[in-house]
């Protein structure tokens, strides 16, 4: 079985030095994580000498320092290097779900016309860490998966219309649960539907480290000194937030930046981490990844919904076995 991956590559050109090595951004990001050039090179599987050549090439390109190195203290990024990492963080979060979906679609199309092609199990799902890792494990173990990341609404509609075998949605626990169930009922009106519990996760406010603006609740978003970044209008998280605001009688128009959106939770976190906004609303894991403070507000369950016939598919059997595995 062929596996296709599509990854974004960006670079900077100059008349004097040509194109900046795409490997430089990857190396700087790893230095930031590892704290040293040696550790970064080991993690990327390249020699220390080659790593130094990449750094020197980048410094020649910009005619300035990218790494500050002190004996016994590792490596730290210069302000320019930090800005390059910032740019990378702004690009990758929104690209990844789109490119993963495209790669999966291409893989499935190639399998259809190959002699050994097998029918792919089609999963349309709201993007999230748990479903991403579950699908990656299925693919690594040889399952043919056609995945498409979309909003929970689009995924539910795809199952209803027969365009997928399982859809991934998230339902809040608590006061917003009934509203969410009523919303999805228009697509889940058949008796032949089953729910598979994938994970429990937390949604809440993402704010800068140390919470300098003292943002603790949704009412704080209405302050004039607070700029907000939202999720897309058709996302399940946006639907949840709108319900919470209505519950607290907070007008969306009172929130500066409410109509400005990012396509993913990681995109929202990157936006806040880049100091382009003071707060966003989304999942805890991306907030922690970007070293933001997180104010938990709602627990929710992430489910796969499918029809009974899907349980006879070898992919679904393997999926259930993975979920049942305590390890």
């Amino acid at each position: 079985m062929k596996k296709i991956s599509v990854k974004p590559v960006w670079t900077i050109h100059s008349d004097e030095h040509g194109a900046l090595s795409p490997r430089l951004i990857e190396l700087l990001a790893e230095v930031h994580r590892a704290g040293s050039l040696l550790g970064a090179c080991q993690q990327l599987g390249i020699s220390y000498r080659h790593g130094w050549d990449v750094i020197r090439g980048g410094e020649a390109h910009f005619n300035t320092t990218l790494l500050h190195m002190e004996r016994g203290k590792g490596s730290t990024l210069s302000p320019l290097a930090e800005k390059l990492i910032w740019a990378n963080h702004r690009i990758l979060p929104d690209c990844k779900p789109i490119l993963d979906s495209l790669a999966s679609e291409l893989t499935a199309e190639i399998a259809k016309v190959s002699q050994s092609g097998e029918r792919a199990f089609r999963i349309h799902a709201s993007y999230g860490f748990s479903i991403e890792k579950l699908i990656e494990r299925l693919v690594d173990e040889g399952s043919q998966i056609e995945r498409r990341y979309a909003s929970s609404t689009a995924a539910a509609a795809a199952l209803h219309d027969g365009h997928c075998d399982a859809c991934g949605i998230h339902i809040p626990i608590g006061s917003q649960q009934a509203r969410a169930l009523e919303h999805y009922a228009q697509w889940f009106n058949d008796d032949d539907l089953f729910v598979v519990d994938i994970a429990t996760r937390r949604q809440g406010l993402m704010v800068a480290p140390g919470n300098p603006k003292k943002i603790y609740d949704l009412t704080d978003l209405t302050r004039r000194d607070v700029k907000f970044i939202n999720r897309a209008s058709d996302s399940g998280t946006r639907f949840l937030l709108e319900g919470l605001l209505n519950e607290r009688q907070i007008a969306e128009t009172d929130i500066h930046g409410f109509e400005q959106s990012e396509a993913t939770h990681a995109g929202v976190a990157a936006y806040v981490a880049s100091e382009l906004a003071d707060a966003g609303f989304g999942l805890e894991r991306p907030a922690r990844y970007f070293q933001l403070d997180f104010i938990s507000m709602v627990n929710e369950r992430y489910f796969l919904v499918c029809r009974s016939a899907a349980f006879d598919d070898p992919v679904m059997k393997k999926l259930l076995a993975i979920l049942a595995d305590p390890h």
Side-chain angles (χ1 to χ4, degrees):
M1 180 182 64
K2 305 297 183 184
K3 297 180 182 178
I4 296 176
S5 62
V6 184
K7 299 184 181 299
V9 175
W10 67 277
T11 187
I12 299 173
H13 294 261
S14 72
D15 293 337
E16 182 180 357
H17 297 286
L20 186 70
S21 170
R23 201 74 196 264
L24 175 65
I25 311 299
E26 182 183 22
L27 183 58
L28 289 175
E30 202 57 50
V31 170
H32 180 66
R33 280 190 288 266
S36 72
L37 179 59
L38 177 61
C41 292
Q42 292 173 340
Q43 186 65 31
L44 294 176
I46 62 176
S47 69
Y48 185 76
R49 180 177 179 179
H50 178 60
W52 250 124
D53 287 342
V54 172
I55 296 296
R56 289 194 186 101
E59 292 181 334
H61 188 103
F62 291 107
N63 193 30
T64 189
T65 300
L66 292 176
L67 282 187
H68 299 295
M69 304 183 67
E70 295 185 51
R71 185 178 299 275
K73 294 185 178 181
S75 308
T76 57
L77 303 183
S78 71
L80 175 59
E82 290 179 347
K83 189 60 68 174
L84 291 173
I85 300 304
W86 168 85
N88 200 52
H89 283 165
R90 292 287 297 116
I91 292 168
L92 294 183
D94 285 345
C95 289
K96 191 175 189 312
I98 297 171
L99 296 180
D100 285 351
S101 297
L102 177 60
S104 180
E105 181 181 347
L106 293 174
T107 301
E109 290 300 316
I110 290 174
K112 289 177 183 177
V113 297
S114 66
Q115 291 183 350
S116 59
E118 59 179 285
R119 179 188 175 279
F121 189 83
R122 302 165 300 168
I123 299 177
H124 289 203
S126 173
Y127 189 75
F129 176 80
S130 297
I131 190 67
E132 178 192 12
K133 294 305 177 185
L134 179 58
I135 292 175
E136 287 179 357
R137 180 167 172 183
L138 287 168
V139 171
D140 289 343
E141 294 184 5
S143 296
Q144 184 73 13
I145 305 289
E146 181 180 344
R147 64 177 146 182
R148 182 168 299 177
Y149 292 120
S151 67
S152 292
T153 295
L159 181 66
H160 178 270
D161 296 338
H163 299 318
C164 67
D165 302 300
C167 72
I169 65 169
H170 47 98
I171 302 292
I173 300 170
S175 63
Q176 291 298 308
Q177 178 174 301
R179 176 173 173 266
L181 292 175
E182 182 180 0
H183 172 70
Y184 291 114
Q186 58 188 303
W187 298 289
F188 298 152
N189 53 7
D190 297 333
D191 293 332
D192 187 31
L193 290 174
F194 291 84
V195 174
V196 179
D197 192 2
I198 301 297
T200 301
R201 59 189 199 176
R202 300 199 294 179
Q203 297 245 35
L205 290 170
M206 305 177 184
V207 297
N211 197 3
K213 288 292 183 74
K214 307 303 179 185
I215 300 167
Y216 300 108
D217 194 67
L218 295 178
T219 54
D220 293 322
L221 301 180
T222 64
R223 294 193 341 233
R224 292 184 178 182
D225 66 330
V226 173
K227 185 178 180 181
F228 183 69
I229 180 67
N230 212 341
R231 287 294 313 281
S233 59
D234 64 341
S235 69
T237 295
R238 174 76 162 260
F239 181 80
L240 170 61
L241 176 59
E242 289 171 350
L244 292 173
L245 292 174
N246 184 63
E247 187 179 272
R248 290 163 172 76
Q249 297 183 326
I250 300 172
E252 298 168 7
T253 53
D254 289 341
I255 299 176
H256 176 44
F258 189 84
E259 292 306 320
Q260 188 169 357
S261 66
E262 287 286 318
T264 64
H265 294 280
V268 170
Y271 206 88
V272 176
S274 302
E275 300 182 359
L276 296 173
D278 301 303
F281 188 85
L283 290 174
E284 179 178 15
R285 187 177 183 88
R288 301 301 185 194
Y289 176 82
F290 284 94
Q291 300 180 329
L292 300 174
D293 283 7
F294 180 78
I295 297 97
S296 179
M297 304 197 74
V298 179
N299 287 346
E300 62 180 13
R301 305 288 288 276
Y302 192 102
F303 298 105
L304 275 183
V305 183
C306 61
R307 303 187 188 281
S308 59
F311 283 96
D312 294 327
D313 193 293
V315 173
M316 180 56 78
K317 292 179 180 179
K318 184 175 292 187
L319 183 152
L320 294 174
I322 291 172
L323 293 175
D325 185 353
H327 305 294

